[in-house]
Amino acid sequence: MSSDSTLLEGYTSIMACLKADSREIYKILIDEKLPSKKPKALRPLKTKSEKKGIPIEYVNSEILESMATGKTHGGVIALCGERKFISLSSLLEKAEKGYLVYLDGIEDPFNFGQAIRTIYASGADGILLPMRNWMSASATVARASAGASELIPASVISVEDISQIKEKGYKIICSDLTDDAVDHTEADLRFPLLLIVGGEKRGISASVSCLSDATVKISYGREFNQALGAAEAASILAFEIHRQNKKQL
């Protein structure tokens, strides 16, 4: 497990967790000088923490620096439990739009968090993840996603579970640069839809891609035989999905 698996760093990440109840928070540590510098900014955090019975401890900034994995914690760190996931059946029941995204094989936690940030902003009902995923790197992922990784409903599934999603009427759309792939602006990306995005190195696993109904590609402006980063690809595809379905939202 990653060294930041039990931390959330920064006001935005912690407030997102408190709002979504995405994990248990055991204690919040605040730089002892922060209340005098930003008393109003801390008020919502203190109010929500008190309502949930979460203790707050004011500590020396050196303690926070020794614990933090990044430099953007802003003087606030939370000691947490693991991310809570919901079952696939519950997620499908709650999916109002019929818009889910499966993140397959992304190898960097920052890219993973950035991808979730875009997916959440585009209006997705939830994300689906393989058993091995970066949600354990909570501090990095929450910072990179601006708290979206805590806010978006998430379910851990097996490849076999994708068949259950198809039975619910979802189109399974993979992103890849194969010869038979359709330009993403010409593909039918109307809901209900499961978009599958893979990492830039490994891509989408064969066991997943064989279940797709269609493959889409992002056309480039010049010849370039390299994949976009997962976060960039997710951004382009997620907002094309949003554009095509905007009238329905």
Side-chain angles (χ1 to χ4, degrees):
M1 183 173 287
S2 171
S3 61
D4 61 359
S5 61
T6 55
L7 292 179
L8 287 177
E9 299 174 5
Y11 180 88
T12 300
S13 297
I14 297 169
M15 285 297 290
C17 178
L18 288 168
K19 178 181 178 180
D21 193 27
S22 53
R23 65 180 76 228
E24 187 173 357
I25 297 180
Y26 305 123
K27 183 187 292 186
I28 296 175
L29 305 179
I30 299 177
D31 185 333
E32 59 191 2
K33 296 180 181 178
L34 206 56
S36 61
K37 294 179 179 178
K38 300 179 179 179
K40 291 183 179 180
L42 285 176
R43 194 171 298 156
L45 177 64
K46 292 171 65 178
T47 299
K48 282 187 173 292
S49 301
E50 289 170 0
K51 285 183 178 180
K52 291 178 176 289
I54 300 169
I56 293 177
E57 183 177 339
Y58 296 92
V59 299
N60 188 286
S61 60
E62 293 180 358
I63 293 176
L64 297 179
E65 291 296 330
S66 68
M67 297 174 63
T69 62
K71 299 296 183 182
T72 58
H73 55 77
V76 188
I77 288 178
L79 308 180
C80 309
E82 295 182 0
R83 177 67 156 80
K84 298 175 185 176
F85 297 107
I86 64 174
S87 67
L88 175 58
S89 57
S90 295
L91 184 53
L92 288 170
E93 287 176 8
K94 296 177 180 179
E96 296 179 358
K97 302 182 183 74
Y99 172 23
L100 301 173
V101 181
Y102 180 68
L103 298 175
D104 183 30
I106 297 177
E107 298 181 356
D108 178 78
F110 185 81
N111 284 343
F112 180 77
Q114 285 277 333
I116 294 175
R117 183 175 186 157
T118 294
I119 291 163
Y120 183 75
S122 73
D125 292 306
I127 55 172
L128 307 175
L129 304 169
M131 186 64 68
R132 295 186 65 183
N133 61 74
W134 280 113
M135 280 298 195
S136 60
S138 54
T140 301
V141 172
R143 284 200 315 271
S145 70
S149 60
E150 300 297 310
L151 294 169
I152 194 165
S155 180
V156 175
I157 67 168
S158 66
V159 174
E160 291 75 19
D161 289 327
I162 295 176
S163 298
Q164 180 182 340
I165 300 169
K166 293 186 76 166
E167 290 173 1
K168 293 288 185 179
Y170 281 68
K171 295 188 294 288
I172 312 298
I173 305 295
C174 283
S175 170
D176 208 342
L177 292 173
T178 57
D179 293 337
D180 62 342
V182 179
D183 186 283
H184 73 288
T185 60
E186 299 174 359
D188 180 3
L189 301 178
R190 290 173 295 175
F191 304 146
L193 172 81
L194 169 61
L195 172 67
I196 300 176
V197 178
E200 54 264 37
K201 291 183 179 180
R202 291 190 294 166
I204 298 169
S205 60
S207 59
V208 172
S209 63
C210 70
L211 297 171
S212 67
D213 296 304
T215 302
V216 300
K217 63 181 177 182
I218 300 167
S219 295
Y220 294 172
R222 57 162 46 90
E223 186 177 346
F224 183 55
N225 296 322
Q226 301 296 327
L228 294 179
E232 290 80 4
S235 298
I236 293 168
L237 295 171
F239 277 96
E240 175 61 20
I241 291 170
H242 173 68
R243 186 191 69 81
Q244 290 194 22
N245 291 278
K246 196 171 183 180
K247 293 181 180 180
Q248 301 178 33
L249 300 178

